[in-house]
Amino acid sequence: MLAKAMSLFLLGLVRVLTGAQARWYGCPPKAEQRIYFANHQSHADLVMIWAALPQELRSITRPIAARDYWTKSRLRQWITTAVFNAVYVDRARTGEQDPLEPLVQALENGDSIILFPEGTRGHAEEPQPFKAGLYNLALRFPDVVLVPAWIDNIQRVMPKGEVVPVPILCSVTFGAPVKLEPGEERRAFLDRARAAVVALRDA
Amino acid sequence: MLRDFYHFLRTLTPTEQVAALFFIVFGLLVVISVGAFLMTFRTEGRAKDPKWHEELADFRRLLGTSWVMVVIFWIGWAAGHVVATLLFAAIAFFALREFITLSPTRRGDHRSLVLAFFVVLPVQFWLAATRHFDLFTVFIPVYVFLAIPLVSALGGDTQRFLERNAKLQWGIVVCVYGMSHVPALLLLDFPQRNYVGKGAFLVFFVVFVVQTCMVVQHLLARRSQRPPSIPTVSRSFHWTSWLLGMAVGSMAGGALTFITPFAPGQAVAMAFIACAAGSLGHLVMKALKRDRGVPAWGHRASVTGANGLLDRVDALCFAAPVFFHSVRWYFGV
């Protein structure tokens, strides 16, 4: 009940602040199992892409959240679990545990996920090189559709280090799905995926 | 017959008169809309011309905007001053959001933006709603103009300092300051002229004369074969069509004398002032858009969601404050 109210509040807030516009350019919004991967510039990215998805897809799509940041306070933890149904990942590799394990579990359950392959928020205009996670997941789940997405302008809403967001129109552009070719090298695939995201900037 | 009707209107209370005004406006819109709808069934003559369909579609969009505007004004009037003020505050908010989206800011501007959206905008509309008109007219041009650069300076980013602050201050003046004068007009009374509670008429007056002037200009410019007068700013601006638009707008103001506290000559003069401020303000906004490289505030490829709200209200944003000030200054209210 409270989570539902919170989700409605966040949706309203995101719409008032950013317009939460989704542009489906390369594929339609469809209830198939997908990995959405996008550029990462702000904490609000996660909320933005979540709000841009249509209602029916939002419930079966789980964003990835960095455990160290999103469990720091009880409110953050509650929002990420109760509202976003997020999957936590550890950014710092600890011991033997595979950091991708929670994502693998979510995909095995049939959920779609939202991934930021840069790993951390970037400062620059261009996204940083992608980390290997996307490649490993693509290798392991060949049937899951990989959808690139470009989140535009959101870094202006809430730059790193600021706490009060300001209203600026943003959009999420979803592009044509990318496929891992048989025998494709890891680096080559990651660069191609990154290029697919960057190409949406001017789409 | 018409005389009797006029005398009947005079016997009504101000509230009933405003209601009658909306009744007439809505009636006209219904008639025009039904007409435009029936036009789509036409099959012979010009109907085969694709250009005609384009013009019709253009006209229907304009009609749709008019409907939305009239409904908004009606809600604003019917629901009372508080709701009206909130409504125009929301329009100012969305217009400013659009303006800022298309005028890139830097990270150092963040605090100033927070100030603009969450302090300046609510305070300005609160001043309007509570009729603190003296502070209302100087709050932004005097105090905010000092506060915004100060916040920027405290932010420590000096790169293109003047340019960044000018951008933000322009956004505030056009979207917040200009728009806030619409609810202020709603609340303006002239007790000495027995003109109380009829602010809605004044708003209607401004909107109507400015819109008439703009539409006449637009139509004449489209038909005109002459090259544009200021091609670097606008492809459709001609001094002749501007003058004709101004003339028609002012005459429309004269014809509406009976809903204003003005004498006929004064109504024409006030309409002239409002039309000049509105149409020339629109030209200024065009120059700003050209500088930003966008054809309209609503159409840019990479940022969507900007729905062109600012394009619709920019003339009003310029006309309202100038009109408001002239009226107050002239009548000494």
Side-chain angles (χ1 to χ4, degrees):
Chain A
M1 185 61 208
L2 202 60
K4 180 84 193 151
M6 187 65 184
S7 111
L8 283 177
F9 168 73
L10 278 175
L11 267 183
L13 186 70
V14 171
R15 287 202 178 125
V16 166
L17 291 179
T18 71
Q21 181 99 355
R23 310 194 303 163
W24 297 89
Y25 275 28
C27 62
K30 194 169 149 193
E32 59 188 3
Q33 196 175 17
R34 282 175 172 177
I35 298 175
Y36 299 96
F37 59 99
N39 57 324
H40 196 23
Q41 282 165 308
S42 158
H43 285 309
D45 283 343
L46 187 152
V47 192
M48 178 69 200
I49 201 165
W50 170 82
L53 287 171
Q55 170 73 43
E56 312 84 80
L57 298 194
R58 213 176 292 137
S59 55
I60 54 164
T61 308
R62 306 181 63 185
I64 308 302
R67 187 188 298 277
D68 54 293
Y69 180 83
W70 286 103
T71 56
K72 214 175 254 170
S73 73
R74 287 181 80 172
L75 179 70
R76 278 184 206 170
Q77 180 155 22
W78 177 74
I79 286 180
T80 32
T81 35
V83 181
F84 297 142
N85 188 18
V87 183
Y88 291 116
V89 288
D90 293 302
R91 278 194 281 203
R93 189 184 273 269
T94 45
E96 291 303 293
Q97 217 230 337
D98 181 6
L100 285 182
E101 196 46 43
L103 308 190
V104 170
Q105 259 172 33
L107 287 170
E108 272 170 357
N109 287 343
D111 290 327
S112 294
I113 59 174
I114 302 169
L115 193 68
F116 298 108
E118 291 168 73
T120 184
R121 291 172 294 154
H123 296 282
E125 290 272 297
E126 295 265 302
Q128 296 164 315
F130 282 5
K131 293 191 171 164
L134 183 67
Y135 171 78
N136 293 335
L137 291 176
L139 208 59
R140 197 152 163 191
F141 297 93
D143 295 332
V144 178
V145 181
L146 307 173
V147 178
W150 174 266
I151 306 175
D152 195 43
N153 239 357
I154 191 85
Q155 73 284 3
R156 288 175 63 199
V157 172
M158 208 159 100
K160 225 169 179 172
E162 296 289 346
V163 281
V164 184
V166 293
I168 285 169
L169 290 162
C170 304
S171 64
V172 184
T173 309
F174 297 93
V178 175
K179 240 182 144 61
L180 177 62
E181 302 297 339
E184 191 174 9
E185 284 288 321
R186 187 178 71 175
R187 199 65 256 165
F189 169 75
L190 291 173
D191 287 345
R192 196 159 62 84
R194 182 174 169 276
V197 170
V198 175
L200 294 171
R201 180 174 58 184
D202 307 312
Chain B
M1 169 71 190
L2 211 62
R3 243 190 128 75
D4 291 343
F5 184 59
Y6 180 68
H7 283 298
F8 164 71
L9 285 179
R10 292 232 75 131
T11 60
L12 299 175
T13 64
T15 317
E16 287 169 336
Q17 286 179 356
V18 178
L21 171 74
F22 275 111
F23 194 73
I24 294 167
V25 172
F26 273 118
L28 278 177
L29 274 179
V30 168
V31 170
I32 297 171
S33 298
V34 169
F37 177 68
L38 290 177
M39 289 280 258
T40 57
F41 289 113
R42 227 169 89 160
T43 46
E44 68 277 353
R46 289 195 64 206
K48 293 198 175 65
D49 187 1
K51 212 178 149 203
W52 182 76
H53 283 282
E54 213 173 276
E55 260 177 49
L56 195 64
D58 205 35
F59 179 72
R60 286 164 71 102
R61 265 194 296 278
L62 210 70
L63 203 61
T65 315
S66 311
W67 267 106
V68 172
M69 279 176 88
V70 173
V71 169
I72 285 177
F73 282 118
W74 179 69
I75 294 171
W77 170 75
H81 297 320
V82 176
V83 177
T85 311
L86 288 175
L87 204 65
F88 287 106
I91 295 174
F93 179 90
F94 291 125
L96 185 60
R97 186 177 76 165
E98 210 166 286
F99 187 97
I100 299 295
T101 300
L102 296 175
S103 328
T105 48
R106 287 166 57 86
R107 282 195 53 187
D109 294 322
H110 193 80
R111 301 274 162 86
S112 313
L113 285 172
V114 172
L115 185 71
F117 277 104
F118 301 121
V119 180
V120 173
L121 193 146
V123 168
Q124 176 74 3
F125 278 87
W126 176 78
L127 289 173
T130 51
R131 301 187 199 210
H132 285 91
F133 289 144
D134 285 326
L135 183 54
F136 168 81
T137 33
V138 294
F139 173 64
I140 284 175
V142 176
Y143 299 97
V144 173
F145 262 49
L146 188 62
I148 293 283
L150 177 64
V151 173
S152 290
L154 293 175
D157 183 358
T158 56
Q159 216 174 60
R160 291 188 288 141
F161 187 79
L162 183 62
E163 193 186 319
R164 279 164 40 214
N165 283 298
K167 240 188 264 179
L168 192 49
Q169 296 191 330
W170 253 92
I172 294 174
V173 162
V174 175
C175 304
V176 182
Y177 189 71
M179 197 35 94
S180 66
H181 282 76
V182 178
L185 270 177
L186 274 174
L187 290 168
L188 206 53
D189 287 334
F190 303 88
Q192 72 272 40
R193 290 204 166 225
N194 193 21
Y195 198 76
V196 175
K198 296 186 189 176
F201 283 134
L202 276 187
V203 175
F204 176 81
F205 181 81
V206 180
V207 175
F208 185 81
V209 297
V210 172
Q211 211 55 30
T212 306
C213 163
M214 302 296 290
V215 168
V216 169
Q217 250 190 77
H218 177 77
L219 291 178
L220 287 177
R222 272 185 76 153
R223 299 267 178 289
S224 173
Q225 304 298 325
R226 257 183 302 260
S229 303
I230 316 165
T232 45
V233 175
S234 165
R235 275 188 218 98
S236 61
F237 187 85
H238 305 272
W239 284 113
T240 28
S241 55
W242 178 76
L243 276 174
L244 285 169
M246 291 292 296
V248 176
S250 310
M251 286 307 120
L256 284 174
T257 306
F258 64 96
I259 63 164
T260 66
F262 316 129
Q266 292 170 338
V268 172
M270 288 298 176
F272 184 84
I273 289 170
C275 289
S279 55
L280 297 178
H282 187 70
L283 192 68
V284 170
M285 292 306 276
K286 276 199 169 161
L288 280 182
K289 279 184 274 192
R290 274 295 176 92
D291 177 38
R292 294 288 328 124
V294 287
W297 292 105
H299 304 284
R300 206 186 78 160
S302 71
V303 183
T304 52
N307 41 16
L309 177 70
L310 202 50
D311 292 315
R312 308 273 146 70
V313 296
D314 56 3
L316 185 60
C317 286
F318 281 89
V322 177
F323 181 77
F324 181 85
H325 177 258
S326 328
V327 172
R328 279 194 82 211
W329 174 77
Y330 189 79
F331 288 110
V333 278

